[in-house]
Structures are given as C-alpha cells and as structure tokens.
Amino acid sequence: MTPERWERLEDLLSQALELPPNQREDFLRTQCGGDQNLRTEVASLIDAQERAPESPSPLAAVREVLAALETEYYLGRNLGGYQLEEFLGRGGTSTVYRARDMDSGHAVAVKIFAAHEIPPQDTGSAEVEHPNVAKILGFASDSGIPYMVLEYVEGETVAQRLRRSPLTQRELIPIARQIASGLAEAHRRGICHGDLKPANLMIDKRGIVKILDLGSAGGTAAYMAPERAAGKPPDARSDVYSFGATLYEMAAGERDFRMPAHARIPAPLGAVIERCMDKDPESRYPDAGALAAALDRLKPPSRLHALGSRIRWRPILATGAAAALAAGIAWFGYASRDAPPRFQLLTEDTNLALGPALSPDGKLLAYAANRDGEEGLDIWVQTVPAGTPLRLTAHEEDDFTPTFSPDGKWIVFASERDGGGLYRVAVKGGVQERIGPAGSRPRFSPDGKWIIYSTGPRGPRDRRAYRPRSIYLLPAAGGAPRPFHAEFSSAHSPVWSPDGRRVLFSGHIREDETDTWWIGMLDGSAPKPVRAPTPEPAGGFAFNQNSMLPQCWLADGRIVFQSHEGVHISLMAAPFSPQRSRFTGIPRRLTAGSELSVDPACGPQGEIVYASMRRSADLWSVSLGAANPLHPVTHSRRLATFPSLSPDGKKLLYATFGTTRSSAWLRDLESGYEHAIEGLHPLGLWLRQSADGSRIASLEDRDQGGTLRIEDIRGALVQAFPEVRLPLDFSRDGRFVLAGSGGNPPAILLHRAGAGRGTPLLRHPTMKLRHARFSPDQRSIAFSAQQAEEPHRTFLARFQDGGEIPLTAWTPATAVSAGNAEWSPDGRRLYFISEQDGYPCLWEQRLDGGSNRPLGGARAIRHFHHMALNLWVLSASKLSLAAARDKVVLTLVSSTSGIWMAR
C-alpha cells in the first residue's frame, strides 16, 4: 500500500464515520467506484472501529490503524541504500526507523516524511559539530519518498525517563548543562532548534545527552514561547523559553508551568527557569550560551555527571540480553555454559579507549584513553566496574597497551615518547621510568620474572620501509632484552600460557611464508607449529591463522584471538592443548557486529575485557588561522575523499566510497546543504573541480580506462577525453588532462583534447611519479616522485604544450619529504603531506610568485600524531587535499571506542 493510498483511506474513512450507518454503504459505492479492494479495506476499518467503542475518537482510532499499516509497509525495505530494521517512533509529520547502512554496516536513524508533507530544508544544522547534538547525516529521497538520515542514538528520551519520576537535582544539572552546551553551539552558528522539548532529547547508553531534530520547522504548543504562538519565527530567545519549560518539567514532573517555580524546585534553579520563561523575550537569557553560564554557576555535588550516568545506565547494561543489545554484539555460548555472559561498559567520557588490562585480583582496570577533548592517549586506571578513573600519565605523545605486574603494584606500558620505549609506573601513580626500548604489547610472565613484547611496525613511524617483527624477553628486574626465537624472519603477538612455561605467538621462519601460529619454549628448544581444528572449516569458520592474532590465554585452557573478516574484527575463543600443540574444539565467536572488537585481555575469573572500536574516514577542515582549528565536514560513514574547493572556500565537491558503490556530492559549506550528483556513482569514481569552480571532471571506470568528461556547472559537456585510466588533474580551459601511466615505474601523461591517447609529459628511469596538479594560472605543474621505498618528494616544472619536460627542468619544491601537494588559490603556496617528523602531517611551503621557487623552509601547519585522529592508516592514493584562501580540506581517520567486560 502506497502513502497516497493510505491518505485516500483516511479521507474516506473519516467521512464515512461521520455519516449514519445506513448511508455508509452507498457512500463507499459511489466514492470507491470500481476499486473493490479499496471499498473492502475501508469497510473493514469501519467494522474494527465499531467493535472498539472505548476509543477516544473514531478518527484517532483510524489513524492508529493506518499508522500501523504504514509502519509494517516500510519495515524490511531498502530506502536509498538503508535497510529499515526497526520502528522507533512517530511524530506529527514523520516516522522514524532504525536502519542499517548497507555499505558500512553501521546503524543509523532514518526519518521518513509523510507523502503530503514538505520535508524541512537543511538550514545548516548538519554543520553543528558537538557531542551533545545528534548528527544529521543527510537529506534525500527515493522513489518520491523524502527522508532524512541521522545519527542513531541508543537509549531513552528525557520524556521516557520522566514517565518514571521527576529528576533529582543530582540527575538534572548534568543533563541540563549538556543540553545548554549543545544548544549554545547551534546558537553560535545562527541556528535555532525550533521545537526543543523532552521528546527531542535523548540520553544514550553512556549518559550523554543528544539533542534531536535541530532546526525543526514546527513547534509543540506546550513548550512554545508566547511570541511564537503569535506567529513570529523562532530565534535563540524562543529556544531559551522552550528550554525553561523543559527544565521545569524535568524538575517538577509536570507541565503545569506555575510561576514562581514549583516548591519542589530548589530556589537557584527556579530562578534560572523563571528567567528562561519570562513572557518578555528581552528579559530572558539572550541565547543558550548565557544560559549555560548560568547553569555552570549552580553548584551540584561533585562528580555529578559520572555518578548520574552510572546510576541510570549500569543496572541496565549489567543484564545479559540488554547489555548485548547495547553493545551491538552477539554472543554464541559454549555448550558447557547454560547462562549467557553479561556485558558491561566500563569506561565513560572518553572518545577512544584501547588496550585494557585487568589486575591479578580482577579489581582494577588499566587502559589507554583520551579525555577532555585531548587527542593523545594516556594511561588511566580505575576500579571495576565503575570506579573514578585515575590518570597515571600525561604526555603529548601516545601511551598505550598497559599491563599489570603479577603482584599488582606496577603497570608497564608502551609509549611513543622520546622515539618510543617501554615504561613503568606505580599503580597509584608517580614517576614514569623507562625500562626498555621501543616495543608494543608488553606482558609479564606469570612468575613476574620476564616481560615479553614485540617490535616492528607500530604505525606511522615505520611506514617508510619494511621492518621485520621480532619478539624479545626483557628481565623484569632490569637488564638487556634478549631475542625470543631469533630464527623467525617475523614473529609477533606473544601470549603467555597460564603456567608461564610456554609462549604462543604468530610468525613465519622464511621470507616467502605467511604467518602461522607457534608454541615456543623459554629453554630455547625448537618451536612447535599449531595445528588447526579438524575439520578445517569448523563451525562455519575457516581457521586461517594468517588472519588471526592470539591475544590471551584463559585459565580454563581456551585461547582468545582476534579474527579479521573483511573490514570487521571479531573476537573468538577455542580450547587448546599446549602439550599436543593443537586446538581440541572448534572456535566460538565471542563478539560480532559492525564495530571492531580489539585488544582483548583475560582476567583471573575468566572475564574478558576488550575495546569495541569504530573508525570513520571523513573530510575535515583545517583553518589557516593562527591556531589552525580543526572541524569535521562530512559524516558519511563511508570513505570521503577527492575533495576540491571553490576559491572562496564555499563549495566543496567530493566523493564517498562504500563496499558496493561510490557517490559524488556537492556541498555548500555555509548552509550545510548538499546533494548527490546524479549519474556519478559506480565503483571506481574519480572527480575533481577546476581551480575556479567552473568545471567538474569525472571518470567512472578509472581502473579500466574510460572516458573522462569535463562539464560546466550546468552539466553541459565541455570536453571528453577517451582512454584515461588514472586521472590526476585537468586544466581550467578544458584542453588538457594529467593522468598516471600505470607503468613501471609510473610516469605522468598529458592528454590533449582531440588527440586520443596521452603522451609522456614527466617520467624518470627509476622514480615513481604520481599526483600531479596544474597551478591556478596553468603555467606550472606540481607533482610527487618516489625512489624505491624512500619518502615522497615534490617537484615543480614549467608547463608548455611542447612535449615532454626534461629532468633538468624539474625544481625541488621543498627540502623535506613531501607528497600529495595542492596549490593555494593564488599559486603562492603548496600544501602537502610530509612524514618529516615521523608521522604524516599537513605542511606548507611558500613560493616565489614569479619563478615558483621555494621561499624559505617548509613548516608544519597541523600535526596528526595520535591514534584517535590521524592520516597514517590511509593509502597515499586517498590522501588528496583541497585548498581555499582560509582552509585546507583533507581526509582524516577518526577512531572512537569504549572498554567492555564480558563475564
């Protein structure tokens, strides 16, 4: 049944119910004509209403029936690449579902608007980046059905919470502060909510408040400011009024707004509410920023936010089924266990938490995390399950993978500080002592005599060249590390057996082998290979040791390991016999889902702690102002790349890539409105905007060598270039295209309009050339070159349509490593990615306006040294930049995670 037919049903039914019963049959015969099905449907609904006389009104009953039909109609359907899985709720003009992004697998919320409704336009609310504002991911339509995609927030609304009881001041103040903080950011950007009320405020599973429906066009009468009821448009002060009405209901538990404030409300809070709800807009707080300052002056009990969120949510998360749902994971239990495990979230107020470890008695949890808006990871420790976190380290470089000593007094961790090393610190904090060279995943032997760890590529510092992985034993009492099974060309991920006599690890002896698992002994005897379960595809799982990493060894003999399955990482466990060096049962899944389950650690009572992580590769904007602030631009849940900006920095063209499709988007950065460029969505899409924003070039089948089209802003074809395989850039006048040759070593080709295949423009006998860009005046080319595994270098060459540019005409653009260079709109600067300091960071090189020769040295304008937000997990082909007068846009990978426990 279509939405139009539902609307026709409602109209006929409402008219029929107003008629006397003896006139309804003739009415339906006349109105339905030959549509016997429609007539039968309306008659059945009339009959249902006649049997439900207790309904408050006939029309309300009809609408409930139709709403149920509409809900069932959409469930299970695919709407624009989103599979609708669960009905969440209904508003006056829309229906909301939990859906699954078919490309990324992530959960989102999809709001479908009624067929007769005009969906709200994006007023810039998608640009409000704040932890207390639910993200708007986009507006679209499918087969004439308008819908909006939003961040999915799992939890309950404030309205649902208030059905149980009013909020105490201990609960209310942190919630109010979060609302004010998010709303203040919207007001700062000139955006009003328009319909602030308890039903539009969600409390997620961590106790974080999310403001929903920012920028709503309508309004709810019970919370509406008097001037809005008189027909005036919403502004910041009307939002403040709605905020006051919401605060009153939260504190008093009722909507009967009586002034002065209800006797239940403390006087300081009552004064804030009264000012919010003053009938004169001029007498209210001018915006949510001023209101937030007033709330900050209220003095609630200490640690209010953390305690409040634990009180509300931890009892819910402690239950097996509810916790598994909240964590987004599934448990496939062992036959020996009757009851499923309980899952519990252990960390709060952190963007990224990794590498958990439990103390020998299971009472303390250590992990690496960033807090308070910081990018770097530090070591934290807290009691299990809900203690106040204690910060043990505070360094500008990342500290990670902590582990407890067997006596529970020390924590050893890896760090990037001072070139990398292993450090130890007392559990209660204090001096941090370097005890060993750079390594990762240090682990104490059960008797406390040794610390075993891996070396090798840990991240960006080791990207430039291959470094073999090795395992070392470090005496816990001090001394030099010694190799563990040095005969392996690569060895990593060591795990102690519970008795400390053996070490399970992954590696290979010969260079031409892939990784498999081995059992090694401390006495230096020959290692034994680990045999896979029989049959090999046991329990529907192919036991591929090369894609699995051993993580910890439970006291009951099971091995817990990470399994890499496509883009997902799940945790599994299997019983193991160290004497026979083989598994004695089939592997069982511990976690499954779209998130990455990583870094599991085993506890003394069989509990497992791990990090549930999510990564996204979105476009971010780096301001070229003094402080170089950073702002996210996209929230596509897919890889967003190939950005190009108009010279004024207002229009952004970019592409998104999923597992099955790609899409092209044009976004207005001022309003936040964006739309898909129709017809440009196959896998392998490439696109770029000209320097002046007047042309768009696209190539759909770039891997096969297709036709590159250059179109004007109206979509009219300007020029077509056949057989372009690896496009890089095109000239503003549409006469030339730069492309990669795909040879060995790859060169840069020049395609001329009407000339067929490209001809060599830049090439080198041993260096690999890529990423070429025309200067804004089209007189020079900046391009990247790489010799073997050395860092990339950027060169400049004068461009003339006269054939190949000789090596003698190449000018080094910088004295530091440089790649993916992009011109500033005036041609006087190059922005590029450099690993000069060991990490891929954003750098700048000034140029002479006449000769394009470098002026002075290059400088870093934004560093990305941390796991939480970085460039290093992207391939070089995805590190394209876009530059405007005031900003640089580039793709960054952000990671978020929390620590969970499974008992």
Side-chain angles (χ1 to χ4, degrees), residues 25 253 279 524 663 665 794:
E25 184 174 352
K279 293 182 179 180
S663 303
W665 302 87
T794 292

Side-chain angles (χ1 to χ4, degrees), residues 672-804:
Y673 177 77
E674 70 177 11
H675 66 275
I677 302 176
E678 298 297 331
L680 300 179
H681 51 75
L683 196 66
L685 172 75
W686 177 90
L687 76 160
R688 182 163 172 79
Q689 187 175 198
S690 64
D692 63 355
S694 64
R695 301 282 191 271
I696 293 177
S698 64
L699 179 72
E700 298 183 359
D701 297 321
R702 61 175 181 148
D703 294 331
Q704 302 298 321
T707 297
L708 186 144
R709 294 172 54 88
I710 300 178
E711 301 173 351
D712 63 20
I713 56 177
R714 296 182 299 276
L717 180 66
V718 174
Q719 194 62 257
F721 292 82
E723 300 183 57
V724 178
R725 182 178 180 185
L726 299 169
L728 299 172
D729 199 10
F730 68 102
S731 61
R732 182 168 54 184
D733 58 15
R735 296 171 54 207
F736 305 103
V737 168
L738 300 175
S741 69
N744 187 22
I748 293 173
L749 306 179
L750 179 69
H751 292 256
R752 297 175 176 85
R757 293 186 176 182
T759 58
L761 177 69
L762 295 157
R763 56 181 168 178
H764 191 278
T766 59
M767 298 182 77
K768 297 176 286 188
L769 309 185
R770 64 174 184 83
H771 198 85
R773 292 287 191 262
F774 282 112
S775 62
D777 62 9
Q778 205 170 302
R779 296 168 60 185
S780 298
I781 297 174
F783 60 97
S784 297
Q786 185 182 29
Q787 183 74 54
E789 297 298 328
E790 294 180 1
H792 286 93
R793 302 172 61 191
T794 292
F795 291 87
L796 298 172
R798 284 292 184 179
F799 171 69
Q800 295 178 349
D801 185 17
E804 186 173 344

Side-chain angles (χ1 to χ4, degrees), residues 23-235:
Q23 297 179 20
R24 292 171 183 170
E25 184 174 352
D26 291 338
F27 170 79
L28 293 179
R29 185 185 304 110
T30 302
Q31 295 296 320
C32 296
D35 192 342
Q36 185 60 38
N37 288 336
L38 178 63
R39 179 180 172 185
T40 301
E41 289 164 351
V42 177
S44 64
L45 291 174
I46 293 174
D47 183 62
Q49 170 58 27
E50 293 293 333
R51 292 198 303 268
E54 67 277 10
S55 297
S57 71
L59 188 56
V62 171
R63 286 175 175 164
E64 289 178 8
V65 174
L66 293 175
L69 290 174
E70 181 184 11
T71 298
E72 293 298 325
Y73 175 78
Y74 281 114
L75 277 178
R77 291 177 176 262
N78 189 311
L79 195 67
Y82 300 98
Q83 188 80 23
L84 304 184
E85 298 179 339
E86 180 185 355
F87 170 72
L88 296 179
R90 181 185 306 278
T93 62
S94 61
T95 308
V96 184
Y97 295 82
R98 179 178 58 78
R100 186 72 51 188
D101 186 326
M102 300 304 292
D103 284 329
S104 67
H106 294 154
V108 298
V110 172
K111 174 179 285 192
I112 301 175
F113 297 95
H116 60 280
E117 290 290 336
I118 300 176
Q121 298 299 310
D122 189 349
T123 59
S125 54
E127 289 298 306
V128 179
E129 268 301 312
H130 194 278
N132 299 119
V133 177
K135 298 180 181 67
I136 297 177
L137 305 179
F139 297 81
S141 63
D142 188 342
S143 303
I145 302 172
Y147 64 92
M148 178 169 60
V149 184
L150 307 97
E151 172 189 6
Y152 173 62
V153 183
E154 187 170 7
E156 65 176 352
T157 65
V158 171
Q160 291 169 328
R161 167 61 187 84
L162 289 175
R163 290 170 189 165
R164 299 197 295 271
S165 67
L167 300 177
T168 65
Q169 189 178 10
R170 179 181 292 274
E171 296 174 297
L172 183 148
I173 296 300
I175 293 176
R177 284 178 171 172
Q178 292 182 70
I179 300 168
S181 179
L183 192 60
E185 176 63 15
H187 287 173
R188 188 182 69 80
R189 293 176 175 268
I191 299 167
C192 299
H193 189 289
D195 193 20
L196 194 69
K197 57 185 178 182
N200 280 336
L201 300 169
M202 180 73 76
I203 309 172
D204 75 8
K205 59 188 179 185
R206 298 171 299 168
I208 305 300
V209 179
K210 298 280 188 176
I211 301 174
L212 309 179
D213 279 2
L214 188 66
S216 301
T220 302
Y223 306 92
M224 189 179 294
E227 67 274 13
R228 285 214 59 202
K232 293 185 178 180
D235 62 14

